[in-house]
Amino acid sequence: MTVQPDDDRPATVLLVEDSDTQALRIRYMLQGHGFTVERVASGEAALDTLDSHIPDLVIADYHLPGMNGGQLARQLRMNAVTRTIPVLILTEGIEPGLEREGLESGADAYVPKSSDSTLIVFRIRALLREYAGNVRARPGRVFRRARILVVTPRHDATTDGGKVGALIDLLQRDGHIVTICADPAHFDQQILLDPERAPDCVVVDLTVGGFDGVVFCRRLDELRQEVLMRGGVPLRILAISPPSPDQREFSARVFETGVDDLVPDDVAPSVLALRIRVLVRRKLLQDDVRRIEVERQNREIAIKSARAEAAAIASKASLAEALEQANRELADANRKLIETQGKLVQTAKMASLGELVAGIAHEINNPLAFILAHKDTVARGLERVMDMEDASTDTGRDGREAILRKCRDRVASMNLGLRRIQNLVLNLRKFSRLDEGLFQVIDVPEALETVLALLTQKLGNGIVVHRDYTAPERLYCQAALLNQVIMNIISNAADAIVEAAERDNPVSDTPARGRIDIRTELRREGEDGAPHYVFTISDTGPGVAPEVQERIFEPFFTTKPVGAGTGLGLAIAYGVVQAHQGTLTVANREHGGAQFTISVPWRAQDSEDGHGGSDGRISGGQAGQA
């Protein structure tokens, strides 16, 4: 029975065997017992496969080209991820000490190839039971061979006869990636800051003259400190020292540069390789510890994020009902706000009417007075006609006709007065209607004349209104745009002219004189050059002070005396213009006086009411049919 991994799949065996015949025999044997076998021909190839997946067990021939089986086991034990993989070494030889060397290198079992196949399978099953629960696979790169850089100007560095050449051969057999730098003066030391290419250990040969190895080691240590500051694991530095009359002083100088180990030149290459192996092992272990710590931190962050997300979901679930209730309350509050805004506009309108009551009363009283007077005249004339006894004579007939003509003239005058009162009432009805919040097609000239009619008493005889209506007659807008906005601005302009006149000549009874210009036009505004309906209202008053311009559209801000203004007129006007997605600005004219500009988008198709409309010229340097 074959031992299965935790996920019930067949155990995977990595077979490292350079002989095709032996590999085929061992593969058939293992597959016959239910194992999944992957075969490679060298220890270096075995290490490369560990990046993609990790086997359940490694079977390696001791005698391999390059790295042998013991060196492969040593490499596996140096990595935190692969150190728990069981390793079984097979060999044909029975050389003395071979098994001991293989086991000391980190192998778990040593079995001759000549052993019975049943015994080999039993050993494999025992190792799998011992390492049950081992990590089978990990994402990403989990194993890499150590990178060693040898800095030496020796000409025999790459030859087998030199000492450095023998050292390089031993390091490569250990599975390390060895790079040689024969020209230290042109070495790119910035490569040490690249985690993907930086060596794990740098071997500096100080035995050859021609370059200052001590300075080179000091520079390596500076770069190593920079790597440490960046949160990386610093490399190891080993120096090979030449014979020196004062070896103690020379060694002190070298160690002060920051090297980790100093080896004399006369040691055997195997001992030197062992010293390098120790440095590399510590470096790779530190890499593993750092990687494991990063993974632990990432797991903690993931757990905290999951908990926070779960808490957020629970919070959302618990707040769902409260949020729905809040939405209902918000919708109700928004409805009430809209209603309040409409009432506020109507209140401000009534306040404006309150200011016009005296003038409106005067406008009604004048025609009403002569209507009443003429009524008495007509009544008396009719009584005289009825009392005339002799209408057959010429004298009587002429007198009667004269009285009737006089009555007819008085009735015509009374009709004129009644029409004036009728027009005034009609204008009041137009002004005070409650549908101002609805968008509709408005006859602009007619609406402006209604506003001016209501302001007749305030304007008096001294303030002249100049009209220049060049825009189309019809505009799709709210009635409040004209009844509230335009009226407030014209009323304020009249007040400014009167106040300036009274300030200049407080004792004069002469009516204040001034001029108000009202202009309508179409302009192309904005980046897209869209047509806008523009009202420009300017006056000859004192203008608006800069500090007042900054606050003039604020609610309840007014420059009038207490009781003379509510401070809501221009604030409401600003809100009405915003509802049209337009702009309301104020500035002072060059020759004195204030100028208010109202600009709202204009669309010809919305401004037609079925009876046709006037086409307007679009100013602003680009004319055309809007």
Side-chain angles (χ1 to χ4, degrees), residues 251-268:
S251 298
R253 287 179 53 209
V254 174
F255 275 111
E256 285 178 354
T257 63
V259 299
D260 299 285
D261 197 2
L262 181 64
V263 181
D265 181 51
D266 55 359
V267 300

Side-chain angles (χ1 to χ4, degrees), residues 277-348:
R277 188 180 302 151
V278 172
L279 294 177
V280 170
R281 182 169 62 249
R282 290 205 302 265
K283 167 63 167 58
L284 295 181
L285 288 176
Q286 276 190 293
D287 283 342
D288 289 336
V289 170
R290 180 176 178 273
R291 177 180 51 78
I292 293 172
E293 177 63 19
V294 170
E295 291 178 353
R296 183 190 65 79
Q297 293 177 358
N298 291 336
R299 284 195 301 270
E300 290 182 355
I301 293 174
I303 292 173
K304 291 180 180 179
S305 299
R307 289 175 178 173
E309 184 176 356
I313 293 174
S315 176
K316 290 179 180 178
S318 63
L319 292 177
E321 184 177 355
L323 180 60
E324 184 178 356
Q325 178 64 24
N327 287 335
R328 289 196 297 265
E329 294 176 355
L330 182 61
D332 186 60
N334 187 47
R335 177 182 56 79
K336 292 180 179 179
L337 180 62
I338 294 174
E339 293 177 357
T340 303
Q341 185 179 17
K343 293 178 182 178
L344 183 61
V345 171
Q346 193 66 17
T347 301

Side-chain angles (χ1 to χ4, degrees), residues 174-240:
D174 279 341
H176 303 316
I177 300 174
V178 183
T179 305
I180 302 173
C181 176
D183 188 4
H186 295 87
F187 171 62
D188 182 12
Q189 299 178 3
Q190 294 299 319
I191 197 176
L192 305 180
L193 302 178
D194 185 358
E196 297 298 326
R197 298 186 298 164
D200 298 292
C201 180
V202 178
V203 180
V204 183
D205 186 4
L206 305 178
T207 62
V208 180
F211 89 107
D212 194 339
V214 175
V215 175
F216 187 83
C217 291
R218 185 175 291 109
R219 177 54 181 159
L220 290 179
D221 185 61
E222 292 175 356
L223 294 172
R224 180 168 62 177
Q225 296 303 319
E226 187 173 346
V227 172
L228 186 61
M229 293 297 293
R230 295 183 179 183
V233 178
L235 57 87
R236 300 297 189 267
I237 304 175
L238 182 142
I240 303 175

Side-chain angles (χ1 to χ4, degrees), residues 51 123 149 193 196 200 228 257 285 317 393 399 434 578 585 590:
D51 284 338
R123 295 301 300 270
L149 173 65
L193 302 178
E196 297 298 326
D200 298 292
L228 186 61
T257 63
L285 288 176
T393 64
L434 300 177
Q578 280 191 322
T585 59
E590 182 179 356

Side-chain angles (χ1 to χ4, degrees), residues 19 37-38 67 122 199 223 350 452 524 532 568-569 605:
S19 170
V37 182
E38 179 182 0
M67 179 189 303
F122 278 140
L223 294 172
M350 293 301 104
L452 293 175
R524 293 195 181 274
H532 282 65
L568 292 174
Q605 62 273 21

